[in-house]
Amino acid sequence: MASSSRGARPSRGGLFAWLDERLGLTDWAAAGSRVRIPDHRATLGYHLGGLALFFFAIQCVTGALLLAYYSPGAGAYESVRRITFDIEFGWLVRSVHGWAAGLMLLCLVAHTVSAGLMRAYRRPRELTWYTGLAMLGVVVALAFTGNLLPQDQAGRMAAKLALHAPSHNPVLGPLVEGLLVAGDEVGPATARRFFVSHVVVLPTMLVALLVLHLMLVLRHGLSKPPEVLEAPDAPPRTIPLWPRFLARDAALWLVALNVVGLLAALLPRELGPPADPLAPAPPGIHLDWYLMAPMHWLRVTARIPGNRGAALGVGGLALVVALLLAAPWLDREGAPEWRRKAVPILGLLVLVAAGVLTIWGYLELWWVSLP
Amino acid sequence: MNYPAWDVPLLGSGGVLAVVAIFHVMISQFAIGGGLYLPWAERRARAQGRDDWLEYLEGYSKFFLVLTSVFGAVSGVGIWVCIGLANAEATSALIHGFVFAWAIEWCFFLIELTAASVYYSTWRTVDARTHQRIGWVYAGASFLTLAVINGILTFMLTPGSPWLEAAAAGRAPDAFWAGLFNPGYWPSLGLRVLVCASLAGVWALVAASFMDGRTRGPLKAEVVRWSTGWLVPAFALMPFFGLWYLSTVPAEQSELLALGISTIGQGTFTQVTRNAMVVLMSTATILATTYLAAYLYPRDFRPGYALPILFLALIATGAGEQAREMLRKPWVIRGYLYSSGVHATDVEARRAEGYLAHSPWVSEVEHETWRALDEAHPDPSTITDGDDDEALVRRGEMVFRGQCLSCHTRSGYRSLRRLLDGRDVEGTRRFLALLEGGEDSPYRAFMPPLVASPGEREGLARYLARLAVRAEPSPEAPEEAAPEATTKPAPVEKYLVDD
């Protein structure tokens, strides 16, 4: 920040000048206009991270509002019922919180895919890639823990379904049971742990990761797609972060806010019957869309008799995680050409498999629901 | 029940009408706003001697002509087909009440269509002054079509007491002008003109966004900036006209708007509030996005920005028109004709003799069977015999088709299977008693009174109870839901198994 220029500026009156002298607004703007964003065919991809950040801001605001009326523990269901059916605009805040969560995850998945396809994980951006992956994991955990908080039957059954999956694993099983389930059964004690994770632990982790991620993005600049990099004779067009890129961002955020509002207005979050440990599982119980692919993978591989099925299931998921983590190392400078090319190809394969598994899972649910 | 019922599965007759109407309104209001945009832009270009603008406008007028006269006119005919089928009684009442208005509207419409075609085809063949005049003729004719149709649309919600008094005395045609220039006319006309101007701006932005910013940068920047100006009047004046319009909406109807602030319960009635919210939000977003993406950086304004703005305009239009329709419930013509197609003055008489008594859609044999049943069982709820029960259910289905289908479907839009929530016969009987009840009934503000003889009512109760049975009965018996329990959570739809 060029603070030496401050003395050269004529001192003007007015609120802006007052603020500028104290906050250095002009210097910030000048610094923002020096940050250049590549402008090319895939520019839209650069907005995905900002869009996810915008959804996170919505989550913080609506989450704080929900906290004002939500009571954890035995009165949880009743408090959510009041939010949905009695309190003015309670339904709106709750529906926006629910929809924005899904859209935020969607943005993060798209952001990860777009960064992966641009091979943005390569040196020197390895840590940007890892912090991004960690944030994706934290957000999935946020969505998953939030689902149980209303203490309705559907949320309880979904949590039970997911927490049951690792119960046969000798290492993960006891860990999950001791740390998350907090007892023999998914119940109020589980909900309390999920509540603490959802409003304290996970958001703190997310903010810390986010600060690191943004610092790294500013330090290394944005990655360019390979075809732009491979045409060195035509230097890519760039636009300044401030004000042009941020104006675009703002327009996009407004449209995104509208999409959330529209979804909340047309399809407000309903509230099912309260959690009842004695009631049978409602037909067609399933996890939200973002966990459908791994869940269905486990379900499909479990159909193979014997231990091989379970090994394939867990092993397959572990391989995907390993690929994501190893991508910067596999695709590093000096590595054999076939190995560098393998990363995006494998990534695409995983993406296609996840898509197929998700659709397959929903089709099976639909099939089972037929009379 | 003089007309056949239009039974559209899932979407419902109203749903089909809504889909056609939303697209029609999008295009026809663009036809009016764009009708002003084109000659105005032409005048400006000629005054400044800008041939590049004129060339651009010629191309734009082709897009305008094709979109408005082909799609606009075809969807307009589509609306006539749909309303005639969905609510024949109301269509008949509107035609009979406003014969002259429809006739003159068609004259204006013919002038509009002709002027649009002539305007497009004479850019290079007539002198500048004549071409400019053709443009103004188009603008005037298209505005007059709006001026007429706005009278009929607002009449349905606010017919006004002079017209209602004349209609009660059987002299409705005498009150033609009072009905046309009803209390809601002027604020609604103001709102619609503002919407037309905004849509002219939005569509012009869509067309301009396809211009290449690198080769035609200066022209593109000018066209984009000038077009954003068309959204400014709406930004400044819409709150004023909106509040004026709301002040003409009758109190019982505006109560609906407040209902949805605190709850998403009460069936679909709270949807009106949510629609109003969508309209406010998307309108504000259109204005802000247009400023950020189009006005600030006109050369960069690409279809990727223009199309979301168009999409938001579609959302705002659709939500607004749907809210206006729902605000009118339980009436089609307030104080005169219920949305079930029953005239307000006919309710008692039709209850006494039976809703289906004169229906030409019931066979003579069925009429006989039902008459015999009524005579044999003064209390129809005691009927247990299988054949008699079937006859009752069939009778109930006919009442269902006549009075329920204009707003509900069996298991799609406003699904009765979902709303009935597994009620048994005793439950549907109590529910129908509430619908038939007096002014204190919780449903009377939103739903028309049930018009049925005791036998017809019992038939409807049995038909609805059969409809309410889920495909897979849950292990526990469904609990009887108290109809007053407005805060009762709605069933989780994903667990309901529809057919």
Side-chain angles (χ1 to χ4, degrees):
Chain A
M1 228 136 300
S3 55
S4 57
S5 64
R6 199 182 295 148
R9 265 199 306 273
S11 59
R12 279 181 301 141
L15 181 65
F16 180 79
W18 191 89
L19 285 172
D20 191 20
E21 193 188 345
R22 279 141 192 92
L23 297 171
L25 297 177
T26 324
D27 295 338
W28 282 103
S33 63
R34 278 195 299 276
V35 177
R36 308 295 295 189
I37 312 285
D39 191 29
H40 49 78
R41 222 159 30 84
T43 301
L44 192 67
Y46 296 135
H47 290 281
L48 286 168
L51 200 54
L53 182 60
F54 174 69
F55 284 126
F56 179 56
I58 294 184
Q59 293 308 80
C60 293
V61 174
T62 51
L65 287 170
L66 287 173
L67 262 182
Y69 289 97
Y70 177 78
S71 46
Y77 182 83
E78 172 57 19
S79 70
V80 177
R81 196 203 60 71
R82 279 188 62 225
I83 289 171
T84 315
F85 295 101
D86 291 345
I87 292 161
E88 290 195 352
F89 295 112
W91 60 269
L92 179 64
V93 174
R94 177 168 172 249
S95 302
V96 167
H97 197 74
W99 278 112
L103 291 174
M104 181 181 173
L105 257 169
L106 201 62
C107 275
L108 282 179
V109 170
H111 186 40
T112 312
V113 169
S114 126
L117 292 182
M118 282 196 203
R119 296 159 83 189
Y121 44 74
R122 290 179 300 175
R123 197 176 78 94
R125 299 191 179 82
E126 296 95 331
L127 288 180
T128 325
W129 173 251
Y130 289 140
T131 46
L133 287 180
M135 280 195 281
L136 183 61
V138 170
V139 172
V140 167
L142 271 168
F144 177 67
T145 48
N147 223 6
L148 183 70
L149 298 186
Q151 285 284 289
D152 59 340
Q153 182 67 350
R156 195 188 81 91
M157 293 310 295
K160 208 173 146 177
L161 196 66
L163 294 177
H164 179 72
S167 66
H168 299 300
N169 188 300
V171 185
L172 284 177
L175 203 66
V176 165
E177 245 150 58
L179 268 178
L180 296 175
V181 182
D184 309 330
E185 248 309 77
V186 171
T190 324
R192 206 166 259 283
R193 298 212 170 173
F194 274 37
F195 174 71
V196 174
S197 313
H198 190 80
V199 303
V200 182
V201 182
L202 294 169
T204 315
M205 285 165 70
L206 189 60
V207 170
L209 286 165
L210 183 65
V211 170
L212 190 57
H213 190 77
L214 289 178
M215 272 167 52
L216 290 168
V217 169
L218 279 178
R219 179 170 166 75
H220 298 297
L222 288 172
S223 172
K224 292 168 212 62
E227 70 260 27
V228 175
L229 284 177
E230 282 154 18
D233 45 324
R237 224 170 84 92
T238 60
I239 57 170
L241 175 69
W242 171 267
R244 283 180 71 170
F245 187 78
L246 283 179
R248 280 189 195 175
D249 252 348
L252 194 67
W253 292 352
L254 278 170
V255 174
L257 183 65
N258 251 269
V259 171
V260 177
L262 187 71
L263 286 169
L266 295 185
L267 301 162
R269 282 286 151 128
E270 300 280 1
L271 182 62
D276 177 1
L278 300 178
I285 191 78
H286 63 90
L287 296 177
D288 282 342
W289 60 268
Y290 49 85
L291 286 174
M292 179 56 98
M295 207 62 203
H296 199 63
W297 168 253
L298 289 177
R299 200 176 296 157
V300 169
T301 48
R303 285 172 199 159
I304 301 168
N307 284 337
R308 270 176 305 167
L312 184 64
V314 179
L317 292 183
L319 269 180
V320 172
V321 176
L323 173 71
L324 289 172
L325 293 178
W329 177 76
L330 290 172
D331 190 358
R332 68 175 192 276
E333 272 168 67
E337 192 60 22
W338 64 268
R339 216 168 72 185
R340 302 191 60 178
K341 283 198 171 145
V343 176
I345 293 172
L346 285 174
L348 271 178
L349 278 179
V350 169
L351 196 64
V352 170
V356 169
L357 279 166
T358 306
I359 295 169
W360 184 4
Y362 276 104
L363 279 179
E364 254 184 34
L365 273 177
W366 171 76
W367 184 248
V368 167
S369 77
L370 291 182
Chain B
M1 193 181 170
N2 297 322
Y3 301 97
W6 192 29
D7 192 346
V8 187
L10 296 176
L11 206 53
S13 55
V16 178
L17 176 59
V19 171
V20 179
I22 285 168
F23 282 99
H24 178 72
V25 168
M26 256 318 259
I27 306 290
S28 62
Q29 297 197 338
F30 166 52
I32 296 156
L36 196 60
Y37 177 98
L38 273 170
W40 197 322
E42 184 189 348
R43 197 180 72 115
R44 189 173 172 276
R46 290 197 193 280
Q48 298 175 357
R50 295 289 302 270
D51 288 339
D52 54 342
W53 265 79
L54 288 175
E55 196 187 326
Y56 172 73
L57 288 174
E58 184 180 351
Y60 183 55
S61 68
K62 183 180 185 178
F63 167 73
F64 177 80
L65 176 74
V66 171
L67 189 67
T68 59
S69 59
V70 177
F71 196 90
V74 169
S75 59
V77 174
I79 289 195
W80 274 104
V81 173
C82 290
I83 60 165
L85 286 167
N87 206 327
E89 197 72 48
T91 311
S92 158
L94 290 178
I95 290 178
H96 284 98
F98 293 98
V99 176
F100 172 68
W102 293 118
I104 196 73
E105 202 255 347
W106 270 89
C107 293
F108 294 142
F109 182 57
L110 280 179
I111 299 173
E112 180 188 346
L113 273 186
T114 316
S117 315
V118 176
Y119 184 78
Y120 164 65
S121 51
T122 55
W123 274 98
R124 291 158 198 268
T125 50
V126 299
D127 62 283
R129 235 176 112 178
T130 312
H131 192 260
Q132 182 73 60
R133 277 188 189 158
I134 297 167
W136 293 125
V137 167
Y138 177 86
S142 63
F143 171 75
L144 287 170
T145 59
L146 172 72
V148 176
I149 199 92
N150 177 58
I152 297 168
L153 284 176
T154 50
F155 161 80
M156 292 195 279
L157 178 61
T158 52
S161 46
W163 188 89
L164 285 174
E165 280 160 23
R171 294 181 292 101
D174 294 353
F176 173 85
W177 293 108
L180 194 68
F181 293 106
N182 58 77
Y185 182 86
W186 294 109
S188 165
L189 187 67
L191 273 179
R192 283 187 188 275
V193 167
L194 291 174
V195 170
C196 291
S198 316
L199 283 177
V202 168
W203 279 104
L205 283 172
V206 171
S209 72
F210 284 93
M211 240 192 282
D212 189 344
R214 259 165 283 186
T215 54
R216 302 170 76 188
L219 178 67
K220 178 170 182 174
E222 273 185 68
V223 173
V224 166
R225 283 229 165 127
W226 194 70
S227 303
T228 56
W230 283 73
L231 289 130
V232 174
F235 183 64
L237 296 174
M238 221 155 204
F240 165 72
F241 279 101
L243 288 176
W244 184 13
Y245 179 75
L246 280 182
S247 75
T248 67
V249 173
E252 309 97 89
Q253 261 64 36
S254 48
E255 266 170 31
L256 259 183
L257 268 175
L259 179 69
I261 290 177
S262 60
T263 185
I264 55 167
Q266 302 229 353
T268 46
F269 299 114
T270 49
Q271 187 68 48
V272 179
T273 319
R274 297 201 288 279
N275 275 23
M277 184 192 88
V278 168
V279 174
L280 284 180
M281 203 171 66
S282 40
T283 309
T285 309
I286 290 169
L287 294 165
T289 335
T290 308
Y291 173 74
L292 287 169
Y295 187 80
L296 288 183
Y297 307 105
R299 284 188 202 200
D300 282 351
F301 189 67
R302 275 170 274 184
Y305 302 101
L307 294 175
I309 292 177
L310 184 68
F311 170 74
L312 286 175
L314 185 70
I315 298 294
T317 314
E321 297 292 324
Q322 201 204 6
R324 185 181 57 77
E325 292 280 321
M326 287 174 82
L327 211 50
R328 218 169 46 210
K329 299 275 179 264
W331 304 93
V332 183
I333 301 170
R334 204 188 120 73
Y336 180 72
L337 184 68
Y338 283 110
S339 50
S340 52
V342 177
H343 286 264
T345 47
D346 286 357
V347 172
E348 290 313 318
R350 302 279 290 278
R351 273 180 183 163
E353 62 180 359
Y355 175 70
L356 299 168
H358 304 294
S359 172
W361 309 98
V362 176
S363 72
E364 210 33 59
V365 181
E366 277 178 316
H367 272 309
E368 264 321 304
T369 317
W370 296 341
R371 242 192 307 268
L373 266 180
D374 281 345
E375 277 163 23
H377 302 274
D379 176 6
S381 64
T382 55
I383 292 174
T384 49
D385 174 74
D387 287 346
D388 290 351
D389 180 56
E390 282 307 318
L392 259 186
V393 170
R394 159 84 185 143
R395 194 177 189 180
E397 189 184 357
M398 290 302 281
V399 178
F400 170 84
R401 292 168 76 93
Q403 291 188 49
C404 310
L405 271 186
S406 58
C407 298
H408 293 276
T409 65
R410 291 176 182 84
S411 53
Y413 181 60
R414 292 183 189 149
S415 156
L416 269 177
R417 180 166 292 149
R418 180 173 61 84
L419 291 168
L420 287 169
D421 193 16
R423 283 181 173 83
D424 60 2
V425 182
E426 196 44 52
T428 54
R429 273 185 203 132
R430 275 200 261 159
F431 174 70
L432 292 181
L434 274 173
L435 281 188
E436 208 168 50
E439 294 299 322
D440 54 339
S441 156
Y443 287 97
R444 279 291 278 110
F446 328 119
M447 281 177 70
L450 174 66
V451 177
S453 69
E456 287 169 345
R457 194 171 110 183
E458 176 63 19
L460 183 57
R462 292 187 187 200
Y463 175 74
L464 290 179
R466 271 196 199 181
L467 189 65
V469 173
R470 297 174 194 183
E472 268 181 345
S474 61
E476 301 138 289
E479 275 188 35
E480 176 53 39
E484 306 65 23
T486 51
T487 53
K488 173 187 170 301
V492 182
E493 259 172 276
K494 65 181 165 192
Y495 302 135
L496 275 185
V497 184
D498 270 356
D499 58 1

